[in-house]
Amino acid sequence: MALTEEASNKVFGGYQKVFSHDSKEVGCRMRVGVYLPPQVEENKKLPVIYWLSGLTCSEANFIEKSGAQKYAAEYGVIIVNPDTSPRGLNLPGDSESWDFGVGAGFYVNATQEPWKKNYRMFSYVTSELPKLISDNFPVAEGLQSIMGHSMGGHGALICALKNPGMYKSVSAFAPICNPSACPWGIKALTGYLGSQEAAKWSDWDSTELVKKYNGPPLELLLDQGLEDNFLKSGQLLPENLMEACKSSGVPAILKKREGYNHSYFYIASFIGEHIKYHVEHLLSKKL
């Protein structure tokens, strides 16, 4: 599958690149960020961390605002961050609201018209994209982790829980933890999957997926700013996921950050901790 380089900037000894490619899963041209740390020059196979962004974001937000490149260079890890939805399709209603359609793919495989042909972000992230990355970059086989923010935190959690053993670790900043019980999630799942009665929303909800998780040991690392307006308005519901983890025996950590909100200022403050956490799991040793 051909990759076209759209941008390349040297940072912390490595290169932050942006590529585009034609995606079979979502039926349009997709953009994806790839940070290649300086260790790539040593002809080593490196671990990879996938980052999934939130509502309204593209691949650019994480690249420009997270500060992740510094830590990726320090630990010698490739970071891959795709766009959040198909673009340029002009499907009916895809640009009418900021929390559904363009920039809001919710990392599910849609089953409803007119979305089901293109809004297949789950398969894109877990199948097509990893193959694209392994075919084009020096990634170590089987050494991948996943993390994300908000809608992308939801995406990271369901990708890990629905694919036992695929990721060595998973973490999420301010994730939408129980989408079938919050306004954002109800809107997205109804639109992409149909009514809760007709569709299995539980297959796309980390709080429900934890209850039936059956795979290799997996710890969930959740991170939440306590001044997050979306936490206060009931969009995120981390307590529901933590309770489900406790009752199901799935280990989980919830880091509460006093004074921090939902923004990339918050993410940039703690992204180094998350990258270190993932690298420790990827290398199976304390750093």
Side-chain angles (χ1 to χ4, degrees):
M1 192 180 300
L3 280 174
T4 300
E5 186 173 300
E6 303 287 352
S8 179
N9 290 282
K10 190 167 188 178
V11 54
F12 295 108
Y15 285 90
Q16 178 62 64
K17 296 179 179 287
V18 176
F19 297 93
S20 65
H21 72 99
D22 291 322
S23 167
K24 292 182 180 179
E25 285 291 351
V26 300
C28 71
R29 196 138 185 95
M30 289 290 286
R31 289 169 64 92
V32 56
V34 179
Y35 179 69
L36 300 172
Q39 291 84 348
V40 166
E41 300 299 325
E42 301 169 15
N43 294 317
K44 293 180 179 179
K45 296 279 190 177
L46 301 178
V48 59
I49 303 173
Y50 289 87
W51 169 273
L52 304 183
S53 291
L55 289 165
T56 76
C57 291
S58 69
E59 83 291 335
N61 301 73
F62 177 78
I63 291 170
E64 297 169 1
K65 297 180 179 180
S66 72
Q69 296 91 345
K70 175 182 178 181
Y71 306 101
E74 179 180 349
Y75 296 120
V77 61
I78 294 170
I79 298 187
V80 176
N81 65 293
D83 201 351
T84 53
S85 78
R87 293 182 192 264
L89 297 170
N90 299 314
L91 299 176
D94 71 359
S95 300
E96 291 179 358
S97 58
W98 64 273
D99 55 357
F100 186 83
V102 174
F106 247 81
Y107 303 102
V108 302
N109 285 344
T111 59
Q112 300 298 297
E113 296 288 359
W115 316 105
K116 66 180 184 180
K117 180 180 177 182
N118 304 102
Y119 276 68
R120 297 180 50 80
M121 289 298 295
F122 178 79
S123 288
Y124 175 75
V125 167
T126 59
S127 180
E128 185 176 23
L129 184 59
K131 185 178 189 311
L132 181 72
I133 296 302
S134 65
D135 286 349
N136 288 278
F137 302 101
V139 298
E141 185 177 356
L143 294 185
Q144 60 183 8
S145 292
I146 193 165
M147 59 180 176
H149 170 231
S150 195
M151 177 186 73
H154 145 77
L157 291 168
I158 65 168
C159 285
L161 291 167
K162 287 170 71 69
N163 292 281
M166 183 173 179
Y167 303 99
K168 295 294 185 183
S169 52
V170 58
S171 73
F173 288 86
I176 301 170
C177 293
N178 195 182
S180 61
C182 75
W184 277 342
I186 291 169
K187 180 176 181 177
L189 297 180
T190 301
Y192 294 132
L193 304 177
S195 68
Q196 188 165 13
E197 293 75 24
K200 294 184 69 176
W201 286 12
S202 60
D203 286 347
W204 304 99
D205 184 322
S206 56
T207 295
E208 298 302 321
L209 287 167
V210 156
K211 297 173 184 177
K212 52 188 177 183
Y213 179 76
N214 182 22
L218 179 70
E219 180 180 75
L220 310 187
L221 172 58
L222 310 183
D223 203 304
Q224 181 61 60
L226 297 183
E227 292 303 313
D228 187 328
N229 288 334
F230 299 120
L231 173 68
K232 296 176 180 180
S233 64
Q235 294 282 19
L236 307 179
L237 304 175
E239 65 279 2
N240 292 8
L241 178 53
M242 292 300 291
E243 181 58 38
C245 288
K246 183 179 179 181
S247 63
S248 303
V250 174
I253 299 167
L254 175 58
K255 295 196 172 187
K256 299 179 180 181
R257 311 293 191 174
E258 197 74 44
Y260 286 89
N261 59 22
H262 200 73
S263 72
Y264 266 88
F265 293 110
Y266 153 60
I267 293 168
S269 299
F270 303 107
I271 192 69
E273 284 187 28
H274 282 244
I275 292 174
K276 181 180 179 183
Y277 173 86
H278 290 300
V279 172
E280 287 179 344
H281 281 77
L282 288 161
L283 302 182
S284 299
K285 68 178 183 180
K286 281 286 184 182
L287 299 177

